[in-house]
């Protein structure tokens, strides 16, 4: 009968298992949103670094797609160092990224000829330890490609953000297919907040966490990314009852 494992062997085996699951010490680092209602639903209290995350617009139009990009820009803005942003279209709008806290001086803009080349650039960028985050705008993301990206992110501890954009409506169905991403988000534009005087209030989004590995799914009504890259739960309207209530969050079951 084989002898039982001694303590050092058992500890080494456990660490190996954690590493294979993408939970090594490097990958336990997280990037909190700074919104307790959101962070408490994410393992570790924030977005896992050294991991792949997906974000898409809630609809097929350009407005929701732009909101998804701004949400990602706010996340990338709160990392340290340069941000590699990979695209196949000539429509990356630097002033909008700057308003979300990501100035042009921090962005390395890579324009690729097709999605295959973009995915290769995405993977190589994730393997580079000198960038704070890598963003790639992709229409389709297969399980095989996402696994490669996830492994690259885990190995270097780099934050990977895939913005799902579609040229045609049928391509949107690919977003429902399983991938190796740690979280999957959807962003939809809501009516802007009401100001005490006539004018345009701060933009508001419906933020849906539709998949979270080892975490919970939920919906949040939030105020859009500000100049520091941060979002906030929507404040109750001035004429709303002051009775205690849970506002701005709906748990998904």
């Amino acid at each position: 009968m084989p002898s039982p494992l001694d303590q050092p062997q058992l500890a080494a085996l456990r660490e190996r298992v954690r590493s294979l699951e993408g939970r090594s010490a490097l990958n336990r680092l997280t990037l909190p949103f700074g919104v307790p209602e959101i962070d408490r639903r994410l393992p570790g209290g924030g977005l896992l670094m050294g991991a792949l995350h997906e974000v898409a617009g809630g609809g097929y139009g350009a407005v929701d797609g732009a909101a998804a990009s701004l949400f990602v820009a706010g996340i990338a803005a709160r990392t340290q160092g340069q941000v590699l942003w990979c695209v196949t279209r000539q429509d990356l709008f630097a002033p909008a990224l700057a308003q979300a806290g990501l100035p042009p001086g921090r962005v390395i803009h890579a324009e690729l000829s097709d999605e295959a080349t973009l995915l290769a650039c995405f993977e190589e960028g994730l393997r580079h330890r000198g960038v704070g985050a890598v963003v790639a705008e992709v229409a389709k993301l297969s399980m095989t490609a996402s696994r490669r990206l996830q492994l690259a992110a885990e190995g270097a501890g780099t934050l990977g953000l895939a913005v799902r954009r579609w040229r045609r409506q049928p391509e949107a169905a690919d977003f429902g297919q399983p991938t190796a991403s740690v979280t999957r988000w959807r962003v939809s534009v809501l009516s802007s907040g009401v100001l005490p005087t006539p004018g345009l209030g701060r933009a508001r989004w419906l933020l849906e966490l539709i998949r979270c590995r080892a975490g919970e799914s939920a919906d949040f009504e939030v105020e859009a990314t500000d100049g520091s890259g941060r979002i906030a739960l929507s404040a109750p309207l001035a004429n709303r009852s002051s009775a205690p209530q849970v506002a701005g969050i709906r748990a998904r079951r």
Side-chain angles (χ1 to χ4, degrees):
M1 190 172 179
S3 60
L5 292 172
D6 58 25
Q7 289 301 318
Q9 288 177 311
L10 187 58
L13 182 58
R14 285 172 175 165
E15 181 59 32
R16 176 61 176 163
V17 171
R18 283 195 294 267
S19 178
L20 291 173
E21 290 177 343
R23 297 173 185 171
S24 64
L26 177 65
N27 293 326
R28 292 194 192 104
L29 298 175
T30 59
L31 181 67
F33 283 97
V35 181
E37 292 84 354
I38 298 177
D39 290 336
R40 72 187 182 197
R41 295 179 179 271
L42 298 168
L47 279 182
L48 191 65
M49 300 292 287
L52 175 67
H53 306 272
E54 291 181 74
V55 182
Y60 306 121
V63 175
D64 286 343
S69 295
L70 290 176
F71 174 63
V72 165
I75 294 171
R78 292 183 289 108
T79 63
Q80 300 295 319
Q82 300 291 102
V83 174
L84 174 62
W85 198 299
C86 308
V87 299
T88 57
R89 308 187 199 185
Q90 299 178 348
D91 61 355
L92 188 62
F93 192 52
L97 300 186
Q99 289 182 347
L102 189 60
R106 286 192 59 199
V107 179
I108 303 171
H109 178 208
E111 187 177 312
L112 293 313
S113 59
D114 53 57
E115 289 224 345
T117 308
L118 181 142
L119 288 171
C121 184
F122 192 8
E123 182 177 342
E124 286 302 311
L126 289 172
R127 295 186 188 281
H128 194 286
R129 298 176 185 270
V131 295
V134 182
V135 181
E137 301 182 4
V138 297
K140 293 186 177 182
L141 189 62
S142 68
M143 176 60 81
T144 299
S146 66
R147 279 176 175 162
R148 291 181 61 92
L149 295 169
Q150 174 63 22
L151 288 172
E154 287 178 7
T158 308
L159 181 65
L161 300 164
V163 182
R164 305 298 299 274
R165 294 187 62 188
W166 304 287
R167 295 181 184 275
R168 292 172 291 278
Q169 182 172 334
E171 292 178 341
D174 185 74
F175 187 60
Q177 300 302 311
T179 65
S181 61
V182 173
T183 65
R184 179 179 284 179
W185 304 79
R186 191 161 51 198
V187 186
S188 304
V189 173
L190 300 174
S191 299
S192 59
V194 178
L195 293 177
T197 56
L200 182 65
R202 183 174 173 180
R204 296 169 63 246
W205 299 333
L206 173 61
L207 181 62
E208 300 173 82
L209 175 57
I210 58 179
R211 180 182 183 275
C212 179
R213 187 188 301 174
E216 301 180 53
S217 296
D219 300 342
F220 313 91
E221 290 183 9
V222 302
E223 295 179 345
T225 306
D226 63 14
S228 63
R230 296 192 176 277
I231 58 175
L233 285 188
S234 295
L237 300 180
N239 61 353
R240 191 172 288 174
S241 170
S242 60
Q245 56 186 311
V246 178
I249 178 171
R250 301 192 299 275
R252 303 186 71 192
R253 301 186 185 279

